[in-house]
Amino acid sequence: MPLSAQGVREKFRRFRILVVGRANAGKTTLLQKVCNTTEKPEIFDGKGKKIDANIVKSSVNRGEHDIDNELVFRSNPRFIFHDSCGFEAGGEVEFKKMKQFVSGRATTMKLNERIHAIWQAIVSMRLYLVVTRNILSYRYCIPMNEYHRAITVAEERFFSECDTNNVPVIAVFTKFDALSAVALGELRRIPGLTRKDLFERTPKRMEEIFANANIWGRLCGTQHPPKDYVCLAEMNIDKANCGPLLKCTTGALGDEALQMLLVSTQQTNLELCITYADSALTGATQCTRLISLFSLYFTLLTSFTFVKDSHL
């Protein structure tokens, strides 16, 4: 018998995500947008004891990091994040710790300690120093004839060696807007294009550049490929939309109970809640299909925490 939204929350309590990615991949900004805040997360050890952020920062600077530490934002404490930072630099010890963490947390019988999803943050563009006429300038680019350079050795190793035991991995290509400069530069070489044409064609050209780089295809050819991917742009602006990531993760979960848990945990995407409620009614009886708008609203109130909190 399917669990109700309340039953899921009582069983799992919180949604737990492991975030993997090198430094400056935009991970903190991403999590802030998911939790609708600009504040830094509070940090707790594996036993729930709060840790001074300065102590954690000092440890990271010394090359030490505890993946068991929990990152929690006050704006939405029902999300728990773990940061894998450490192994991306190529450390063998850190990589083994990460693998042990994934293996243990993916299969533990303690349901409240299980990880439900993994977000692998990959920078869409890499910053290269270009020297032109003795003038130093920076530009974002992916070498189209050497697309393997867009993925670090550590990132590829993660997908080649880390068995996540059915915990879905989402490849999150951050800073995707960096491709706009490359796309715009290529389009400007086409004669006769107006400024309006450039504006309208740039998004499509960005997607073409990404597709031609074959980054996704290369990841799919690994031993443990990601379940899906999403490209995120301009996450540093106030109105940044993390909806595609939440929708992608919900679909990748596969398990209806976990989908319900994520949908009821997130507080930034009303559309996702409505879509979930609508799909939940698809297989219902004819009588239920004729449910009134009032009943649908009631379903949202009882199923999705953030709607209930904002309306009652």
Side-chain angles (χ1 to χ4, degrees), residues 49-68:
K49 181 180 178 181
K50 188 173 180 179
I51 306 174
D52 188 329
N54 291 325
I55 296 178
V56 175
K57 183 176 181 180
S58 177
S59 299
V60 172
N61 290 337
R62 294 197 305 270
E64 304 170 0
H65 175 73
D66 191 346
I67 194 173
D68 284 302

Side-chain angles (χ1 to χ4, degrees), residues 7-15 77-78 112 261 265:
V8 170
R9 288 193 291 269
E10 290 176 350
K11 183 178 181 180
F12 294 100
R13 296 185 185 179
R14 302 159 92 180
F15 197 88
R78 293 191 59 225
N112 287 324
L261 176 64
T265 297

Side-chain angles (χ1 to χ4, degrees), residues 254-286:
D255 184 273
E256 185 177 346
L258 290 180
Q259 289 177 330
M260 188 183 299
L261 176 64
L262 176 55
V263 170
S264 63
T265 297
Q266 62 89 27
Q267 300 179 359
T268 58
N269 195 329
L270 177 59
E271 181 181 356
L272 182 62
C273 294
I274 296 175
T275 300
Y276 181 85
D278 183 58
S279 63
L281 292 171
T282 300
T285 64
Q286 182 64 28

Side-chain angles (χ1 to χ4, degrees), residues 31-83:
L31 300 187
Q32 288 173 328
K33 294 302 179 183
V34 169
C35 293
N36 194 28
T37 184
T38 57
E39 296 181 354
K40 297 292 184 181
E42 295 181 319
I43 304 174
F44 300 85
D45 63 19
K47 297 181 181 179
K49 181 180 178 181
K50 188 173 180 179
I51 306 174
D52 188 329
N54 291 325
I55 296 178
V56 175
K57 183 176 181 180
S58 177
S59 299
V60 172
N61 290 337
R62 294 197 305 270
E64 304 170 0
H65 175 73
D66 191 346
I67 194 173
D68 284 302
N69 286 346
E70 301 176 347
L71 281 63
V72 180
F73 292 89
R74 290 183 180 181
S75 59
N76 192 343
R78 293 191 59 225
F79 270 122
I80 296 179
F81 301 102
H82 294 270
D83 188 351

Side-chain angles (χ1 to χ4, degrees), residues 18 70-71 83 150 153 189 200 222 242 248 267 277 297-298 307:
L18 169 63
E70 301 176 347
L71 281 63
D83 188 351
V153 173
R189 292 195 289 269
E200 292 178 346
T222 57
C242 61
C248 180
Q267 300 179 359
Y297 182 69
F298 178 78
V307 178

Side-chain angles (χ1 to χ4, degrees), residues 11 131 141 215 245 254 305:
K11 183 178 181 180
V131 181
C141 64
I215 301 172
L245 174 58
T305 306

Side-chain angles (χ1 to χ4, degrees), residues 223-242:
Q223 184 68 26
H224 305 288
K227 187 76 171 181
D228 206 345
Y229 79 94
V230 62
C231 298
L232 300 178
E234 298 183 325
M235 295 304 292
N236 59 322
I237 65 176
D238 292 339
K239 296 183 179 180
N241 180 19
C242 61

